[in-house]
Structure formats: C-alpha cells, structure tokens
Amino acid sequence: MPSYTVTVATGSQWFAGTDDYIYLSLVGSAGCSEKHLLDKPFYNDFERGAVDSYDVTVDEELGEIQLVKIEKRKYWLHDDWYLKYITLKTPYGDYIEFPCYRWITGEGEIVLRDGRAKLACDDQIHILKQHRRKELETRQKQYRWMEWNPGFPLSIDAKCHKDLPRDIQFDSEKGVDFVLNYSRAMENLFINRFMHMFQSSWSDFADFEKIFVKISNTISERVMNHWQEDLMFGYQFLNGCNPVLIRRCTKLPKKLPVTTEMVECSLERQLTLQQEVEQGNIFIVDFELLDGIDANKTDPCTLQFLAAPICLLYKNLANKIVPIAIQLNQIPGDENPIFLPSDAKYDWLLAKIWVRSSDFHVHQTITHLLRTHLVSEVFGIALYRQLPAVHPIFKLLVAHVRFTIAINTKAREQLICEYGLFDKANATGGGGHVQMVQKAMQDLTYTSLCFPEAIKARGMDSAEDIPNYFYRDDGLLVWEAIKTFTAEVVGIYYESDQVVAEDQELQDFVNDVYVYGMRGKKTSGFPKSIKTREKLSEYLTVVIFTASAQHAAVNFGQYDWCSWIPNAPPTMRAPPPTAKGVVTIEQIVDTLPDRGRSCWHLGAVWALSQFQENELFLGMYPEEHFIEKPVKEAMARFRKNLDTIVSVIAERNKKKKLPYYYLSPDRIPNSVAI
C-alpha cells in the first residue's frame, strides 16, 4: 500500500497553534484518499512554530497528487490555526510543496494546490479549474466593497477590525489600537500631565521644550534649533515629511501679485523676478486644496482656523531653496498681504508657521492617508477578489498588502471617524479631512503614482539643476530596482503580450481597481485593462512602490519633522494676520496649539513613526508563496540591488548633518501597516 510522508508547518505568531483535530485527504488524478487524522500518540501536535511529520498510508494508487484537503474539527473549544505550508513526499521519492499561509477558523477546511504559480490558461484539468473558480467565489463574498464616504475610493465592507476576514486581521489587535498606542506614547514621552490641558497656552517657544526634550533624535533636535531659519524651512519641501508638493514655477500665477521690487533683496543673481522664473530658479508650493475647507468646530471652547497659502521659493547661488514670498490665502487683496523676508521678524515667522501648518494638513490627509493608505487598500481588496492564490501576481503582491486593510479599518474605527482621535488635535478634524480627500480625488491619477513621471511633472527631475533632493534621488533608485524585479517576474510567467491581454483574472483585477477604487473616473488615467508585459511591469511597480517606498518616505519621518510643535502645528487658534507690522511673539504663541492638543499631536506623530513588531522590509519574503527556482533567483537579485542602494545612501549620509534615510530599503516596510 502506497505511503506518503506529510509535513505540516504551523505559524509562529501568537495563537497560531491548535488543539483541534486535523484531518488530511489527498486528491490525485486516479482517485481520492480517505480522511486521515494527523495525530501522534503522547505528543502535542500543531503547536505554535512546530513542524510535524506524519506517515499517511492509502489503500490504492492515487496517481499525480492535485489537491490536499485539510479539515479542522473541534476538540474542546474552538481555536483558530495558522497553517504555513504542507509538503508531501510521495512513494516515488518526489517532493510536492503546498504553500498556505492562512488561518483555518472554526470547524473549517482548506483545499490547497501545489505551489507552482499558474495562469488560468495553464489549467486544463477540470478539478483544478473548479478549485480556482470556487476560491474566487468564496473570496468575493468575504471581500466586499463599501463606500465609507461619498467621493472616497471604496474600502472594505467592515465596520471594525474583528469583522474582517481572519486572514487579513492583525495577529494582535492591541498592537494597532490607536487609543492605546497614543496613550502609551504620551507615557513614554512623559507628557501625561499636559494631556488634558486643552485651552491652556504655552508661555513661549522655549516652553514647548517641556514636552520635547524627554525623547529626541538628531533630526528633531536640529529642527528645534533651526526651525525659524529660511534654509530649514525651504529644505523641508525637498526632504521633509511632505516632499511631494514643491514644483518649479514656470509662470507666476495672477493670484500671487508679487513683483521684483518686493523680493529683490532675496534675488542674488541681479535678475528680475521674471528672468529668475525663466532661468528655472523659482519654485512654488500652492495649498489651494485647503481653500474653503471647514475648520474643526468639535470643541466649542476653542476656535480653530485654516489657511490656503501660496509660497514662492528661490534657488540661491548656493543651490539652496529658500522662501521669498508668502500669501496666506488664495485671493489677493489689501487684507491678504504678501509677506516677505524683509518684513518684521514676527510677521515673516508667523507667515512661515502658517505654511508649515498647512503643509502638515495636506501631508496627513492627502499625501499620507489618501495616496498611500487608501490607494494601497484598493489594490489589496481587488487582489483578494480577483486573483486566486495560485496566480503569480497574487503571489507577488500579497506581501505588499499585508495588514493594510486592517490598519485602514482600525483607522476608520478610531482615528478618522466622527469624534475620533483625529478630531482631538487637528484643525481639519470634524469633517475637514473628509472634504480634503473628496477634493484631492480629482487630482489622484495613475501617472501621479508613477514616481519618475510625478517628479518630472513638477519640473523637479534634474539632479544637476536641483541638487540635494534626496527624496527624488533615492526614490528613483528604489523605483528602478522594483521595476527590474517585476519585469523579471512578468517575463517568467507571461511569454508574450498576448498572454497578458488574455489573462482574464489579471484584467478583472485591474478593472476592479479602476471601477471601484477610482470610481470609474476616466480622468484618473487608471487603466481598465493591461495589454503588454511592459505595462504590467509598470503597474506592479506602482502597487509595490506606493505600498512600500512612498509610504515609508511620507510616514516614518513624522516624529523627526513634526515633534517640534511650532514647525508643524496641527491647528491654529487665531486667524491668519490681515496686516503687516502687528504680529508679536505673544500673538504667535497664542495662535499655536494649546498644551492638550500639542500632547495629542506629539503622541500621534511618535506612534505613527514606529515600525510594526516583526516588521518585514522591502525584499523580504519569508512566506514562500513562490516555489520555482527562477523566481527565487529573481528575488535574490532584487535583494542584492536593494543592498547596493542601502550602501549608496549610507555612504552619502556619512557627510550630512541632516541625513536622509527614509528611502533606504532596510527602512522601507513591505506594506502600509501603520
């Protein structure tokens, strides 16, 4: 009688093991085996992290093994079980791998195929075609689209984290409890005593140090010491938390009536302002998106205010970017003066603080929330709905959507919901952040997620002309490494453009993203279908880069750049000044956030800047969904390319007082999970 050796690997995360009864059946081309109870006498099977082996003897020849069925039946109390993989040694000495990496819940069962990636056209056997179809039918019932707010990309249909399919939940919900994490952050930062001091102003700038000096690092200390300087202000548009807004100014906007006479003391080349524009030395950051957004009214005791500034910047003879003019609202007029470096010290300082506060709002809600979190969730839901686990694109992308749907669900539950934590400290809380996303959806295009094109569209692509733009330089290196890798994987499984065009599962995935994620907007430029290997490689690069590198670039520097409150005020408690020559230091301090809001803000940026426990970084694929040698070799080359980039960035940073490391691959998590 034929005998098989079955090896079963249980996950090592918390609560991965089980005491339930586990049954195995083998389905082969010549027949199906009986159910076999996997149980060794006097042994605790399927413990967390265990790899257990069993001999399974069958009555007759099964032929080529096509499927393995695993059933879990209750022993005492229901407990979930995380199955990593099963391997089979056949009576003929062959090894077959069956990757799983899924939870089996309740009295559940899972049917596994062997680990070779297959397109639908590769499956000719009825039972395999049926398995493929059933898996997608099941997933489409589990992963349903929902509109959280009108005009938003659609999200997962789940009110809270525990409603999610078990496979995409966090291992421990406590680790992503925002209330818990913010409170813990404030304990770690020793700022609990200020936490409830809403409406209580700080006495001066130095007073902010009371909540700052307990935990600090090189960059945040440098920000605290130099935040008032124009050089530091300009540098942040290149390499701070939000390095995506600055663009080369090719024409001065009519709504910013700035003249050469106003700014000539800032222009170092003895040229007119128009000539500086023509030579490419003028840059602009326009916060038009904030125009008309409602400020937070959730606390009747504190009025909060927003502005929609326009900031003009100049590349000086030292190739540094510095501000030369700031208008705090969009419509020019006597009560909307243009502030200049030549103005009184506190006039100019308050104008810059308003820009920094506006930058914080756009960063949090658009650059971070919409353009990394919500977009990555769209890719994740479409992936689970339209690509079976055997599909090579599923195998490639699943690591890059890990925990993304879970973190976003938790955010909708606690953070950005009505009366959520976002309302505590942010001027765009209470609904303003929702209005911002609705407006920003008009500019969310596929091309704007293609990193090289996005840089080029802003006129920021010349490294010679605009040096020290490390976000651009490092981002291009990582983009190219990812694109090279995705092109290799595409080349392994798609032998021609025709195979791409005829892969209906792939087309359904791409169409789901367009129809539900981008709400079917033609203006988004998102493809409805993909016809070539080259376009597929680019699309996969967009998915991976957005979830990994782009999120890392705009998330993990939040404590560095935003912990010094005057450099990134989350709210302002007085309206923008309408005249020059009236601003005092006392006015500025009274405009900045009160003690309570400062503490909530500090707890938030600290908590959001931390990596997840057991974080997986770019190039790390511990779950071996792929078993084929060519893909494993491609992964090894990818890791080698990433290691080279790490070395290049480390070498450059040695000489920098302000190192830029957010796009170093060893600091880029695989997915949006915080």
Side-chain angles (χ1 to χ4, degrees):
M1 290 163 59
S3 181
Y4 294 80
T5 302
V6 177
T7 302
V8 182
T10 297
S12 54
Q13 58 269 66
W14 287 106
F15 312 115
T18 185
D19 289 325
D20 284 355
Y21 296 113
I22 303 298
Y23 295 92
L24 173 134
S25 311
L26 301 176
V27 180
S29 57
C32 179
S33 76
E34 296 288 316
K35 280 200 295 191
H36 291 267
L37 176 64
L38 301 182
D39 183 39
K40 286 187 274 193
F42 312 111
Y43 177 75
N44 202 349
D45 305 272
F46 315 117
E47 287 291 279
R48 174 184 165 209
V51 178
D52 300 316
S53 290
Y54 304 87
D55 289 325
V56 172
T57 302
V58 298
D59 296 334
E60 55 192 38
E61 291 288 342
L62 300 177
E64 185 182 343
I65 300 299
Q66 294 164 338
L67 300 171
V68 167
K69 183 189 276 190
I70 297 288
E71 294 181 60
K72 184 164 78 69
R73 296 289 173 254
K74 186 167 73 170
Y75 167 65
W76 182 247
L77 294 170
H78 277 310
D79 57 351
D80 299 345
W81 178 42
Y82 188 84
L83 173 59
K84 287 171 68 176
Y85 61 80
I86 288 175
T87 63
L88 209 60
K89 184 183 178 186
T90 72
Y92 317 104
D94 298 325
Y95 277 94
I96 311 173
E97 297 178 50
F98 295 85
C100 181
Y101 301 104
R102 285 155 63 191
W103 289 92
I104 306 179
T105 59
E107 292 205 332
E109 66 177 47
I110 283 182
V111 182
L112 301 176
R113 289 183 55 158
D114 77 79
R116 292 170 297 173
K118 298 283 186 184
L119 302 176
C121 62
D122 298 327
D123 281 342
Q124 302 303 323
I125 301 167
H126 174 71
I127 195 170
L128 297 181
K129 288 181 177 181
Q130 188 183 39
H131 176 265
R132 199 175 190 114
R133 189 178 68 251
K134 273 188 174 177
E135 182 183 4
L136 289 181
E137 285 172 359
T138 303
R139 291 238 216 96
Q140 284 164 14
K141 288 173 187 169
Q142 290 180 307
Y143 296 82
R144 300 173 306 278
W145 294 102
M146 176 192 75
E147 182 180 71
W148 186 65
N149 261 305
F152 272 53
L154 293 195
S155 50
I156 194 78
D157 183 6
K159 285 191 172 64
C160 56
H161 181 267
K162 70 177 187 318
D163 293 342
L164 294 171
R166 184 68 182 91
D167 284 326
I168 59 167
Q169 291 182 25
F170 281 101
D171 300 331
S172 165
E173 200 179 337
K174 282 185 181 177
V176 285
D177 187 300
F178 287 105
V179 176
L180 193 67
N181 285 354
Y182 285 19
S183 303
R184 192 181 295 140
M186 287 184 267
E187 280 176 31
N188 291 345
L189 297 162
F190 302 101
I191 53 175
N192 277 2
R193 65 192 187 282
F194 299 116
M195 188 172 154
H196 302 293
M197 296 176 73
F198 288 84
Q199 287 83 51
S200 170
S201 294
W202 302 93
S203 53
D204 52 31
F205 291 145
D207 205 16
F208 282 99
E209 290 185 44
K210 287 179 181 173
I211 62 165
F212 180 81
V213 294
K214 295 294 180 186
I215 180 167
S216 56
N217 61 27
T218 315
I219 292 178
S220 54
E221 283 180 358
R222 197 163 179 82
V223 170
M224 180 182 73
N225 292 327
H226 299 278
W227 70 280
Q228 298 189 42
E229 297 166 13
D230 289 355
L231 282 173
M232 177 62 87
F233 178 89
Y235 177 87
Q236 291 180 73
F237 286 116
L238 296 177
N239 300 311
C241 255
N242 197 25
V244 302
L245 296 185
I246 188 169
R247 58 177 61 244
R248 197 190 289 276
C249 182
T250 53
K251 186 183 177 185
L252 290 166
K254 288 183 180 175
K255 62 183 180 180
L256 181 67
V258 64
T259 64
T260 300
E261 291 69 37
M262 288 179 179
V263 295
E264 62 186 344
C265 64
S266 298
L267 306 180
E268 298 179 354
R269 295 177 177 84
Q270 312 307 312
L271 300 172
T272 65
L273 181 58
Q274 183 56 37
Q275 287 170 328
E276 294 279 20
V277 169
E278 288 164 7
Q279 288 208 3
N281 298 322
I282 302 296
F283 299 83
I284 193 166
V285 180
D286 188 348
F287 295 94
E288 185 178 15
L289 181 80
L290 284 163
D291 193 32
I293 300 297
D294 293 331
N296 193 338
K297 296 182 177 65
T298 58
D299 180 358
C301 299
T302 302
L303 290 175
Q304 299 180 58
F305 298 89
L306 293 167
I310 310 168
C311 180
L312 211 60
L313 300 116
Y314 176 61
K315 185 182 74 174
N316 63 22
L317 287 171
N319 278 329
K320 307 285 189 199
I321 303 286
V322 291
I324 58 170
I326 294 170
Q327 182 177 285
L328 292 181
N329 278 301
Q330 293 285 307
I331 300 170
D334 293 342
E335 294 196 345
N336 187 21
I338 296 174
F339 291 94
L340 308 164
S342 52
D343 289 341
K345 175 183 176 181
Y346 293 127
D347 282 2
W348 180 236
L349 181 60
L350 183 56
K352 287 192 294 180
I353 291 172
W354 269 105
V355 171
R356 293 295 314 133
S357 183
S358 302
D359 190 68
F360 173 80
H361 296 310
V362 173
H363 163 260
Q364 283 289 13
T365 304
I366 307 309
T367 309
H368 183 208
L369 173 64
L370 172 61
R371 296 180 69 90
T372 65
H373 277 257
L374 300 186
V375 168
S376 290
E377 180 175 4
V378 165
F379 291 133
I381 299 170
L383 181 80
Y384 281 107
R385 284 175 54 81
Q386 303 299 351
L387 296 177
V390 72
H391 198 290
I393 303 306
F394 180 89
K395 289 172 179 279
L396 175 67
L397 295 184
V398 68
H400 300 289
V401 298
R402 176 177 178 257
F403 298 149
T404 300
I405 300 171
I407 194 72
N408 287 1
T409 302
K410 201 71 183 168
R412 286 187 287 269
E413 193 184 339
Q414 292 185 326
L415 192 60
I416 56 174
C417 54
E418 196 174 359
Y419 310 116
L421 292 177
F422 199 83
D423 292 354
K424 289 268 190 190
N426 293 287
T428 52
H433 59 304
V434 172
Q435 296 170 357
M436 287 175 72
V437 170
Q438 290 164 336
K439 276 179 85 170
M441 277 293 285
Q442 310 308 315
D443 300 318
L444 178 57
T445 63
Y446 176 73
T447 310
S448 71
L449 298 177
C450 295
F451 189 80
E453 282 85 346
I455 295 288
K456 204 169 186 178
R458 292 188 286 114
M460 302 295 291
D461 47 317
S462 171
E464 190 180 351
D465 208 22
I466 310 164
N468 304 316
Y469 191 14
F470 308 127
Y471 164 73
R472 171 202 60 208
D473 300 340
D474 299 354
L476 287 171
L477 292 176
V478 175
W479 173 274
E480 283 307 315
I482 295 171
K483 194 165 184 200
T484 300
F485 173 52
T486 60
E488 281 194 62
V489 176
V490 167
I492 292 167
Y493 294 102
Y494 295 90
E495 61 186 28
S496 67
D497 291 344
Q498 185 182 349
V499 180
V500 172
E502 292 175 356
D503 181 354
Q504 193 55 51
E505 290 169 341
L506 171 67
Q507 304 307 332
D508 290 343
F509 163 60
V510 171
N511 190 56
D512 240 29
V513 170
Y514 170 72
V515 170
Y516 297 103
M518 297 307 121
R519 314 300 295 267
K521 283 185 186 169
K522 284 185 182 176
T523 51
S524 73
F526 270 76
K528 298 179 191 177
S529 61
I530 289 178
K531 305 296 187 192
T532 68
R533 295 194 296 177
E534 187 181 345
K535 279 292 174 190
L536 176 54
S537 171
E538 179 189 76
Y539 194 89
L540 298 173
T541 305
V542 166
V543 177
I544 295 172
F545 187 89
T546 301
S548 58
Q550 185 60 26
H551 179 255
V554 302
N555 182 68
F556 293 104
Q558 290 190 73
Y559 184 80
D560 289 347
W561 296 101
C562 303
S563 56
W564 179 246
I565 306 289
N567 188 58
T571 189
M572 300 287 263
R573 294 180 297 146
T578 54
K580 295 189 182 188
V582 294
V583 179
T584 63
I585 179 70
E586 290 77 20
Q587 257 183 294
I588 293 178
V589 172
D590 285 341
T591 300
L592 287 169
D594 55 46
R595 293 169 189 251
R597 286 180 176 83
S598 296
C599 292
W600 274 105
H601 167 82
L602 195 60
V605 298
W606 187 81
L608 290 169
S609 299
Q610 308 306 305
F611 293 124
Q612 282 285 351
E613 277 185 52
N614 307 317
E615 192 70 81
L616 298 176
F617 295 95
L618 195 57
M620 293 168 63
Y621 297 101
E623 293 186 353
E624 294 192 49
H625 291 275
F626 284 109
I627 66 166
E628 294 95 325
K629 192 178 176 187
V631 189
K632 291 189 173 185
E633 289 171 345
M635 285 177 171
R637 284 190 290 274
F638 181 39
R639 281 191 288 273
K640 195 172 179 184
N641 286 345
L642 295 174
D643 288 344
T644 302
I645 296 169
V646 170
S647 301
V648 168
I649 292 172
E651 189 58 35
R652 179 201 62 214
N653 282 340
K654 279 182 189 173
K655 306 161 192 167
K656 300 292 174 192
K657 289 178 182 172
L658 266 176
Y660 185 83
Y661 45 73
Y662 309 116
L663 281 169
S664 182
D666 58 344
R667 292 174 180 245
I668 299 176
N670 256 336
S671 61
V672 176
I674 189 69

Short mmCIF file of all heavy atoms in Angstrom, two decimals, residues 278-315:
data_model
loop_
_atom_site.label_atom_id
_atom_site.label_comp_id
_atom_site.label_asym_id
_atom_site.label_seq_id
_atom_site.Cartn_x
_atom_site.Cartn_y
_atom_site.Cartn_z
N GLU A 278 12.32 82.40 -15.70
CA GLU A 278 12.74 81.85 -17.00
C GLU A 278 13.99 80.99 -16.87
O GLU A 278 14.16 80.02 -17.62
CB GLU A 278 12.96 82.99 -17.99
CG GLU A 278 11.65 83.65 -18.44
CD GLU A 278 11.86 85.01 -19.10
OE1 GLU A 278 13.04 85.39 -19.34
OE2 GLU A 278 10.86 85.70 -19.36
N GLN A 279 14.85 81.32 -15.93
CA GLN A 279 16.08 80.53 -15.73
C GLN A 279 15.85 79.28 -14.86
O GLN A 279 16.77 78.50 -14.63
CB GLN A 279 17.17 81.41 -15.11
CG GLN A 279 17.73 82.43 -16.08
CD GLN A 279 19.17 82.82 -15.76
OE1 GLN A 279 19.78 82.28 -14.84
NE2 GLN A 279 19.71 83.75 -16.53
N GLY A 280 14.61 79.15 -14.36
CA GLY A 280 14.28 77.94 -13.58
C GLY A 280 14.68 78.02 -12.12
O GLY A 280 14.83 76.98 -11.46
N ASN A 281 14.84 79.23 -11.59
CA ASN A 281 15.30 79.38 -10.20
C ASN A 281 14.17 79.63 -9.21
O ASN A 281 14.42 79.79 -8.01
CB ASN A 281 16.30 80.54 -10.10
CG ASN A 281 17.55 80.27 -10.92
OD1 ASN A 281 18.02 79.13 -10.98
ND2 ASN A 281 18.09 81.29 -11.58
N ILE A 282 12.93 79.71 -9.70
CA ILE A 282 11.79 79.98 -8.82
C ILE A 282 10.93 78.73 -8.70
O ILE A 282 10.64 78.05 -9.68
CB ILE A 282 10.95 81.16 -9.37
CG1 ILE A 282 11.81 82.43 -9.52
CG2 ILE A 282 9.76 81.44 -8.45
CD1 ILE A 282 12.37 82.98 -8.21
N PHE A 283 10.51 78.45 -7.47
CA PHE A 283 9.68 77.29 -7.17
C PHE A 283 8.43 77.75 -6.41
O PHE A 283 8.43 78.84 -5.82
CB PHE A 283 10.47 76.27 -6.35
CG PHE A 283 11.68 75.77 -7.07
CD1 PHE A 283 12.88 76.48 -7.06
CD2 PHE A 283 11.63 74.59 -7.80
CE1 PHE A 283 13.99 76.03 -7.76
CE2 PHE A 283 12.73 74.13 -8.50
CZ PHE A 283 13.92 74.86 -8.49
N ILE A 284 7.41 76.93 -6.45
CA ILE A 284 6.15 77.33 -5.81
C ILE A 284 5.51 76.14 -5.10
O ILE A 284 5.63 74.99 -5.55
CB ILE A 284 5.18 77.94 -6.87
CG1 ILE A 284 4.00 78.63 -6.19
CG2 ILE A 284 4.70 76.87 -7.87
CD1 ILE A 284 3.20 79.53 -7.13
N VAL A 285 4.88 76.43 -3.97
CA VAL A 285 4.04 75.45 -3.27
C VAL A 285 2.70 76.13 -3.03
O VAL A 285 2.64 77.17 -2.37
CB VAL A 285 4.67 74.99 -1.94
CG1 VAL A 285 3.76 73.97 -1.27
CG2 VAL A 285 6.05 74.40 -2.16
N ASP A 286 1.66 75.57 -3.60
CA ASP A 286 0.32 76.18 -3.54
C ASP A 286 -0.62 75.26 -2.78
O ASP A 286 -0.84 74.12 -3.17
CB ASP A 286 -0.19 76.41 -4.97
CG ASP A 286 -1.48 77.22 -5.01
OD1 ASP A 286 -2.10 77.40 -3.94
OD2 ASP A 286 -1.87 77.65 -6.11
N PHE A 287 -1.16 75.77 -1.68
CA PHE A 287 -2.07 74.97 -0.84
C PHE A 287 -3.53 75.26 -1.17
O PHE A 287 -4.39 75.31 -0.29
CB PHE A 287 -1.78 75.25 0.64
CG PHE A 287 -0.41 74.80 1.08
CD1 PHE A 287 0.66 75.67 1.07
CD2 PHE A 287 -0.20 73.48 1.47
CE1 PHE A 287 1.93 75.25 1.46
CE2 PHE A 287 1.06 73.05 1.86
CZ PHE A 287 2.13 73.94 1.85
N GLU A 288 -3.80 75.42 -2.46
CA GLU A 288 -5.15 75.73 -2.93
C GLU A 288 -6.18 74.72 -2.44
O GLU A 288 -7.35 75.03 -2.23
CB GLU A 288 -5.14 75.77 -4.47
CG GLU A 288 -6.44 76.19 -5.09
CD GLU A 288 -6.35 76.25 -6.61
OE1 GLU A 288 -5.39 75.70 -7.18
OE2 GLU A 288 -7.26 76.84 -7.21
N LEU A 289 -5.76 73.49 -2.26
CA LEU A 289 -6.66 72.43 -1.80
C LEU A 289 -7.38 72.81 -0.50
O LEU A 289 -8.52 72.41 -0.26
CB LEU A 289 -5.87 71.13 -1.60
CG LEU A 289 -6.70 69.93 -1.15
CD1 LEU A 289 -7.42 69.30 -2.34
CD2 LEU A 289 -5.85 68.89 -0.45
N LEU A 290 -6.71 73.59 0.35
CA LEU A 290 -7.28 73.93 1.66
C LEU A 290 -8.30 75.06 1.58
O LEU A 290 -8.98 75.35 2.57
CB LEU A 290 -6.16 74.31 2.64
CG LEU A 290 -5.34 73.14 3.18
CD1 LEU A 290 -4.03 73.61 3.78
CD2 LEU A 290 -6.14 72.35 4.21
N ASP A 291 -8.41 75.70 0.42
CA ASP A 291 -9.33 76.82 0.27
C ASP A 291 -10.77 76.32 0.41
O ASP A 291 -11.20 75.42 -0.31
CB ASP A 291 -9.13 77.48 -1.10
CG ASP A 291 -9.83 78.82 -1.19
OD1 ASP A 291 -9.93 79.50 -0.16
OD2 ASP A 291 -10.29 79.18 -2.30
N GLY A 292 -11.49 76.88 1.35
CA GLY A 292 -12.90 76.51 1.53
C GLY A 292 -13.13 75.30 2.42
O GLY A 292 -14.28 74.90 2.64
N ILE A 293 -12.07 74.70 2.94
CA ILE A 293 -12.23 73.56 3.85
C ILE A 293 -12.66 74.07 5.23
O ILE A 293 -12.12 75.04 5.75
CB ILE A 293 -10.90 72.76 3.97
CG1 ILE A 293 -10.47 72.21 2.61
CG2 ILE A 293 -11.04 71.64 4.99
CD1 ILE A 293 -11.41 71.22 1.98
N ASP A 294 -13.64 73.40 5.82
CA ASP A 294 -14.15 73.82 7.14
C ASP A 294 -13.16 73.46 8.24
O ASP A 294 -12.69 72.32 8.32
CB ASP A 294 -15.48 73.13 7.44
CG ASP A 294 -16.59 73.58 6.49
OD1 ASP A 294 -16.52 74.74 6.03
OD2 ASP A 294 -17.50 72.78 6.22
N ALA A 295 -12.88 74.44 9.09
CA ALA A 295 -12.00 74.18 10.24
C ALA A 295 -12.78 73.44 11.33
O ALA A 295 -14.01 73.47 11.38
CB ALA A 295 -11.44 75.50 10.77
N ASN A 296 -12.04 72.78 12.20
CA ASN A 296 -12.59 71.94 13.27
C ASN A 296 -13.45 72.75 14.24
O ASN A 296 -12.99 73.74 14.81
CB ASN A 296 -11.42 71.30 14.01
CG ASN A 296 -11.84 70.17 14.92
OD1 ASN A 296 -12.99 70.08 15.34
ND2 ASN A 296 -10.90 69.29 15.25
N LYS A 297 -14.70 72.33 14.42
CA LYS A 297 -15.60 73.02 15.37
C LYS A 297 -16.07 72.06 16.47
O LYS A 297 -17.08 72.30 17.12
CB LYS A 297 -16.81 73.57 14.62
CG LYS A 297 -16.48 74.65 13.59
CD LYS A 297 -17.75 75.19 12.93
CE LYS A 297 -17.42 76.31 11.95
NZ LYS A 297 -16.63 75.86 10.81
N THR A 298 -15.35 70.96 16.66
CA THR A 298 -15.81 69.95 17.63
C THR A 298 -15.66 70.41 19.08
O THR A 298 -16.31 69.87 19.97
CB THR A 298 -15.06 68.62 17.46
OG1 THR A 298 -13.66 68.85 17.60
CG2 THR A 298 -15.33 68.02 16.08
N ASP A 299 -14.79 71.40 19.33
CA ASP A 299 -14.60 71.92 20.70
C ASP A 299 -15.11 73.36 20.74
O ASP A 299 -14.44 74.27 20.25
CB ASP A 299 -13.11 71.87 21.07
CG ASP A 299 -12.87 72.39 22.49
OD1 ASP A 299 -13.84 72.82 23.14
OD2 ASP A 299 -11.70 72.38 22.93
N PRO A 300 -16.29 73.58 21.31
CA PRO A 300 -16.86 74.95 21.32
C PRO A 300 -16.01 75.94 22.11
O PRO A 300 -16.17 77.16 21.96
CB PRO A 300 -18.24 74.75 21.97
CG PRO A 300 -18.15 73.46 22.71
CD PRO A 300 -17.15 72.62 21.99
N CYS A 301 -15.10 75.44 22.94
CA CYS A 301 -14.27 76.34 23.76
C CYS A 301 -13.05 76.87 22.99
O CYS A 301 -12.38 77.79 23.46
CB CYS A 301 -13.78 75.61 25.01
SG CYS A 301 -15.12 75.07 26.07
N THR A 302 -12.74 76.26 21.86
CA THR A 302 -11.55 76.68 21.11
C THR A 302 -11.89 76.86 19.63
O THR A 302 -12.25 75.90 18.96
CB THR A 302 -10.41 75.64 21.23
OG1 THR A 302 -10.09 75.45 22.61
CG2 THR A 302 -9.17 76.09 20.48
N LEU A 303 -11.77 78.08 19.16
CA LEU A 303 -11.91 78.31 17.72
C LEU A 303 -10.62 77.84 17.04
O LEU A 303 -9.52 78.07 17.55
CB LEU A 303 -12.13 79.80 17.44
CG LEU A 303 -13.49 80.37 17.88
CD1 LEU A 303 -13.54 81.88 17.66
CD2 LEU A 303 -14.63 79.69 17.13
N GLN A 304 -10.78 77.19 15.89
CA GLN A 304 -9.61 76.72 15.13
C GLN A 304 -9.71 77.25 13.71
O GLN A 304 -10.81 77.48 13.19
CB GLN A 304 -9.55 75.19 15.15
CG GLN A 304 -9.40 74.63 16.57
CD GLN A 304 -9.34 73.11 16.61
OE1 GLN A 304 -8.47 72.50 16.00
NE2 GLN A 304 -10.25 72.49 17.34
N PHE A 305 -8.54 77.43 13.08
CA PHE A 305 -8.51 78.12 11.79
C PHE A 305 -7.60 77.41 10.80
O PHE A 305 -6.63 76.73 11.17
CB PHE A 305 -8.02 79.57 11.98
CG PHE A 305 -8.93 80.39 12.87
CD1 PHE A 305 -8.74 80.43 14.24
CD2 PHE A 305 -10.00 81.10 12.32
CE1 PHE A 305 -9.58 81.16 15.06
CE2 PHE A 305 -10.85 81.83 13.13
CZ PHE A 305 -10.64 81.87 14.50
N LEU A 306 -7.95 77.59 9.53
CA LEU A 306 -7.14 77.08 8.42
C LEU A 306 -6.83 78.22 7.47
O LEU A 306 -7.53 79.24 7.44
CB LEU A 306 -7.91 76.00 7.65
CG LEU A 306 -8.18 74.69 8.38
CD1 LEU A 306 -9.23 73.87 7.62
CD2 LEU A 306 -6.90 73.89 8.54
N ALA A 307 -5.79 78.04 6.68
CA ALA A 307 -5.47 78.99 5.61
C ALA A 307 -5.14 78.18 4.37
O ALA A 307 -5.00 76.96 4.42
CB ALA A 307 -4.28 79.87 6.02
N ALA A 308 -5.04 78.89 3.23
CA ALA A 308 -4.67 78.22 1.97
C ALA A 308 -3.55 79.03 1.32
O ALA A 308 -3.74 79.74 0.34
CB ALA A 308 -5.88 78.14 1.04
N PRO A 309 -2.34 78.93 1.89
CA PRO A 309 -1.24 79.80 1.46
C PRO A 309 -0.69 79.45 0.07
O PRO A 309 -0.89 78.36 -0.45
CB PRO A 309 -0.15 79.57 2.52
CG PRO A 309 -0.74 78.71 3.57
CD PRO A 309 -1.92 78.03 2.97
N ILE A 310 0.03 80.43 -0.48
CA ILE A 310 0.87 80.22 -1.66
C ILE A 310 2.26 80.68 -1.26
O ILE A 310 2.43 81.79 -0.74
CB ILE A 310 0.39 81.04 -2.88
CG1 ILE A 310 -1.11 80.85 -3.12
CG2 ILE A 310 1.19 80.66 -4.12
CD1 ILE A 310 -1.70 81.84 -4.10
N CYS A 311 3.23 79.81 -1.47
CA CYS A 311 4.60 80.12 -1.05
C CYS A 311 5.52 80.09 -2.26
O CYS A 311 5.57 79.10 -2.99
CB CYS A 311 5.05 79.10 0.00
SG CYS A 311 6.73 79.37 0.60
N LEU A 312 6.24 81.19 -2.47
CA LEU A 312 7.21 81.27 -3.56
C LEU A 312 8.60 81.05 -2.98
O LEU A 312 8.95 81.61 -1.93
CB LEU A 312 7.14 82.66 -4.22
CG LEU A 312 7.46 82.74 -5.71
CD1 LEU A 312 6.49 81.89 -6.53
CD2 LEU A 312 7.42 84.19 -6.19
N LEU A 313 9.40 80.20 -3.64
CA LEU A 313 10.74 79.87 -3.15
C LEU A 313 11.77 80.14 -4.23
O LEU A 313 11.45 80.20 -5.43
CB LEU A 313 10.79 78.41 -2.71
CG LEU A 313 9.82 78.04 -1.59
CD1 LEU A 313 8.80 77.04 -2.09
CD2 LEU A 313 10.53 77.52 -0.36
N TYR A 314 13.02 80.27 -3.81
CA TYR A 314 14.09 80.68 -4.71
C TYR A 314 15.31 79.78 -4.51
O TYR A 314 15.67 79.46 -3.37
CB TYR A 314 14.45 82.13 -4.38
CG TYR A 314 15.61 82.72 -5.15
CD1 TYR A 314 15.58 82.83 -6.54
CD2 TYR A 314 16.74 83.19 -4.47
CE1 TYR A 314 16.64 83.39 -7.24
CE2 TYR A 314 17.81 83.76 -5.16
CZ TYR A 314 17.75 83.84 -6.55
OH TYR A 314 18.80 84.41 -7.24
N LYS A 315 15.91 79.38 -5.61
CA LYS A 315 17.18 78.65 -5.52
C LYS A 315 18.30 79.69 -5.56
O LYS A 315 18.54 80.33 -6.58
CB LYS A 315 17.32 77.67 -6.68
CG LYS A 315 18.58 76.79 -6.57
CD LYS A 315 18.73 75.85 -7.75
CE LYS A 315 19.18 76.62 -8.99
NZ LYS A 315 19.50 75.75 -10.13
#
